[in-house]
């Protein structure tokens, strides 16, 4: 086994009353905040007004950017940055899901040195400073609240990419599971798929010790168990609590202890689907995973069978893939193309985009031939 170092500086505040600590903590970061949020839910359900009230109680001046879209773009990052520059803010508060948090992370590292955020995303420029970031999470999905990754897309460049950087950990994240009671069924399902996908990317990565493997499999198990409970009763607080915690653990480093790399090939396939067709992140993964697993089923018999035994008590790759696919379908996540209006006429464009952006994993690299075959399986699933 390899040597390893663990580091995660995020201070996580979890539970119904966690925001009672928010105001005094925010005040330690200064007197001017930029509050970032998405197009509708955080305002509609009062999460933004709650956070603003807590800031105002501490006499913190507020500027706002409320136009972060799901699958955020570099333009939105630039717009938020312009406001932050004009108002000379001291810190950022992101209220929302992975999209809002990721956009805020890139503002946070681009602002102090006035860097071009796309140059930061593409690693042409290396930021050396950041503006403190506090997050108030409203959906259980990405794990962005407790990690140092951000994903932003650039429609002009035709790329949706991730950046992992030590300066983009939030300083504090506040997770009240009650805020997730308003997440609609489709977005709840996509979040469940995403946390499972994060554990699967780790599982199909480089080898890890047994304890890390058990953390990884347990995360998938918890996501399935509590996912079913939440889809059956969306107001089940305990299940929402467990899902929120599971999502955070799925991508905060636990599954990577003593593991050199996850694979992340399915995420790169999914990012192309989101880029080309504006598919929600989790939905892109519930389409891509069954196809990718079917394509590699004969190469990874042991890993897939161990997964199937632990999660579903089945004994073959085919049964495992069927069970996983059927779980995604049970919670209402799509598992194949065509979905919505993405018909066969888009197949070549999808293959071309995947090839142009060299979609593939760290462990399972993909050739042009592999990518075409996986896209075929997205349209015509066959599980060997
Ligand atoms: O648009 P708003 O108003 O914010 O509404 C959102 C959005 O429409 C809504 N929502 C969020 N909380 C809600 C709610 N609706 C009702 N009640 C609530 N409490 O849900 C929709 C989806 O939100 P979004 O933030 O887009 O979802 P998610 O958290 O899944 O984030 C997806 C983004 O994160 C990236 C994805 O690629 C995608 O761009 N990822 C980030 C990662 C990271 N930083 O570590 C890793 C992931 O693999 C992923 O790539
Ligand atoms: Zn993901």
């Amino acid at each position: 086994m390899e040597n390893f170092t663990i580091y995660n500086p995020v201070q996580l505040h979890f539970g119904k009353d966690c925001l009672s600590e928010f105001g005094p903590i925010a005040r330690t970061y200064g007197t001017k905040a930029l509050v970032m949020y998405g197009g509708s839910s955080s305002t509609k359900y009062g999460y933004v007004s709650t956070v603003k009230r807590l800031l105002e109680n501490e006499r913190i001046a507020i500027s706002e950017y409320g136009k972060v879209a799901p699958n955020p773009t570099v333009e939105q990052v630039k717009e938020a940055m312009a406001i932050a520059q004009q108002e000379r803010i001291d810190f950022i508060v992101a209220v929302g899901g992975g999209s809002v948090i990721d956009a805020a992370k890139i503002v946070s590292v681009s602002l102090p040195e006035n860097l071009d955020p796309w140059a930061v995303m593409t690693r042409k420029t290396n930021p050396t400073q950041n503006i403190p970031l506090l997050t108030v999470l409203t959906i259980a999905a990405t794990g962005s609240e407790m990690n140092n990754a951000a994903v932003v897309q650039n429609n002009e460049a035709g790329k949706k990419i991730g950046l992992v950087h030590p300066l983009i950990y939030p300083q504090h994240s506040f997770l009240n599971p009650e805020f997730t009671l308003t997440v609609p069924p489709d977005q709840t399902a996509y979040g469940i798929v995403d946390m499972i996908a994060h554990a699967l990317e780790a599982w199909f990565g480089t080898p890890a010790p047994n304890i890390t493997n058990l953390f990884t499999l347990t995360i998938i198990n918890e996501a399935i168990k509590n996912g079913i409970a939440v889809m059956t009763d969306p107001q089940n607080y305990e299940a929402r609590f467990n899902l929120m915690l599971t999502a955070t653990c799925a991508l905060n480093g636990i599954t990577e202890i003593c593991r050199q790399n996850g694979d992340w090939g399915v995420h790169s396939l999914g990012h192309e689907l989101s880029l080309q067709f504006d598919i929600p992140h989790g939905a892109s993964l519930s389409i891509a995973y069954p196809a990718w697993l079917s394509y590699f089923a004969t190469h990874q018999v042991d890993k897939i069978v161990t997964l199937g035994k632990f999660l579903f008590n089945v004994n073959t790759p085919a049964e495992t893939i069927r069970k996983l696919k059927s779980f995604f379908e049970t919670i209402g996540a799509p598992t194949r193309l065509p979905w919505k209006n993405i018909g066969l006429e888009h197949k070549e464009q999808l293959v071309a985009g995947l090839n142009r952006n060299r979609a593939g994993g760290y462990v399972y690299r993909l050739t042009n031939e592999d990518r075409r075959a996986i896209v075929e399986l997205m349209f015509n699933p066959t599980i060997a």
Side-chain angles (χ1 to χ4, degrees):
M1 287 293 171
E2 302 290 324
N3 295 340
F4 67 96
T5 302
I6 299 180
Y7 173 73
N8 190 320
V10 179
Q11 295 194 50
L12 201 76
H13 309 263
F14 200 106
K16 267 184 186 163
D17 303 319
C18 67
L19 277 174
S20 61
E21 302 167 16
F22 176 83
I25 288 173
R27 186 64 187 78
T28 65
Y29 290 97
T31 55
K32 287 182 167 186
L34 172 69
V35 180
M36 290 179 66
Y37 49 94
S40 57
S41 72
S42 307
T43 325
K44 181 173 165 191
Y45 296 111
Y47 309 133
V48 172
S49 53
T50 300
V51 166
K52 280 165 62 179
R53 199 184 58 245
L54 294 171
L55 291 169
E56 281 159 3
N57 287 348
E58 301 294 324
R59 298 176 191 276
I60 293 168
I62 298 168
S63 28
E64 297 176 50
Y65 182 77
K67 292 188 198 157
V68 182
N71 301 323
T73 64
V74 71
E75 281 73 30
Q76 289 154 17
V77 172
K78 285 181 183 165
E79 285 171 8
M81 235 177 110
I83 297 170
Q85 251 156 357
Q86 198 180 332
E87 302 297 332
R88 298 172 177 276
I89 60 142
D90 299 316
F91 63 99
I92 303 171
V93 183
V95 186
S99 296
V100 175
I101 297 175
D102 287 4
K105 283 176 169 178
I106 301 308
V107 174
S108 149
V109 284
S110 304
L111 193 63
E113 297 160 283
N114 195 19
L115 305 177
D116 170 13
W118 193 245
V120 171
M121 285 305 300
T122 52
R123 298 178 180 82
K124 291 197 175 101
T125 313
N126 183 35
T128 62
Q129 295 173 39
N130 63 343
I131 296 270
L133 169 64
L134 314 188
T135 83
V136 178
L137 186 68
T138 61
I139 182 170
T142 64
S144 186
E145 64 277 8
M146 200 179 176
N147 70 35
N148 61 338
V151 181
V152 170
Q153 76 183 45
N154 182 331
N155 294 330
E156 208 178 303
K159 285 185 188 300
K160 177 171 181 173
I161 54 174
L163 174 74
V164 175
H165 194 286
L167 287 176
I168 59 177
Y169 285 107
Q171 272 58 44
H172 292 264
S173 285
F174 296 83
L175 280 64
N176 177 353
E178 279 181 333
F179 283 15
T180 67
L181 293 171
T182 56
V183 179
D186 57 349
Q187 296 293 348
T188 301
Y190 305 151
I192 294 165
V193 173
D194 195 24
M195 57 188 97
I196 291 174
H198 294 160
L200 288 175
E201 296 284 16
W203 180 250
F204 290 106
T206 52
N210 197 38
I211 189 164
T212 306
N213 286 333
L214 287 173
F215 286 148
T216 307
L217 292 172
T218 301
I219 282 167
I220 305 178
N221 212 20
E222 284 296 294
I224 291 176
K225 199 173 69 190
N226 292 288
I228 290 169
V230 160
M231 296 312 293
T232 312
D233 174 13
Q235 297 305 307
N236 181 336
Y237 175 79
E238 200 181 321
R240 290 279 191 189
F241 180 108
N242 289 332
L243 267 190
M244 204 174 200
L245 188 54
T246 303
T248 301
C249 292
L251 202 54
N252 70 353
I254 285 183
T255 66
E256 282 150 19
I257 293 174
C258 196
R259 193 194 298 284
Q260 266 180 319
N261 251 327
D263 183 61
W264 298 102
V266 175
H267 267 70
S268 76
L269 297 167
H271 287 342
E272 190 67 34
L273 286 168
S274 293
L275 179 71
Q276 291 202 18
F277 311 116
D278 202 21
I279 296 188
H281 177 60
S284 77
L285 300 168
S286 57
I287 292 169
Y289 246 116
W292 184 90
L293 281 168
S294 304
Y295 187 64
F296 282 113
T298 50
H299 294 257
Q300 306 184 32
V301 176
D302 286 355
K303 272 193 178 176
I304 299 180
V305 167
T306 308
L307 192 68
K309 273 191 186 142
F310 189 92
L311 298 175
F312 307 117
N313 200 20
V314 297
N315 295 306
T316 67
E319 286 173 299
T320 307
I321 300 167
R322 271 196 211 103
K323 285 278 187 191
L324 187 67
K325 187 162 173 276
S326 135
F327 169 71
F328 289 161
E329 284 160 3
T330 306
I331 60 172
T335 53
R336 52 170 297 190
L337 295 174
W339 185 59
K340 301 238 162 136
N341 49 4
I342 312 159
L344 267 172
E345 68 278 14
H346 294 288
K347 191 167 88 180
E348 290 309 317
Q349 164 199 342
L350 177 56
V351 173
L354 289 169
N355 289 339
R356 189 178 55 246
N357 287 322
R358 296 198 179 86
Y362 293 106
V363 178
Y364 298 93
R365 296 192 182 276
L366 302 179
T367 62
N368 286 2
E369 207 178 285
D370 297 330
R371 295 182 193 113
R372 174 172 293 280
I374 292 170
V375 169
E376 294 284 353
L377 285 164
M378 290 181 197
F379 282 100
N380 293 306
T382 46
I383 300 171

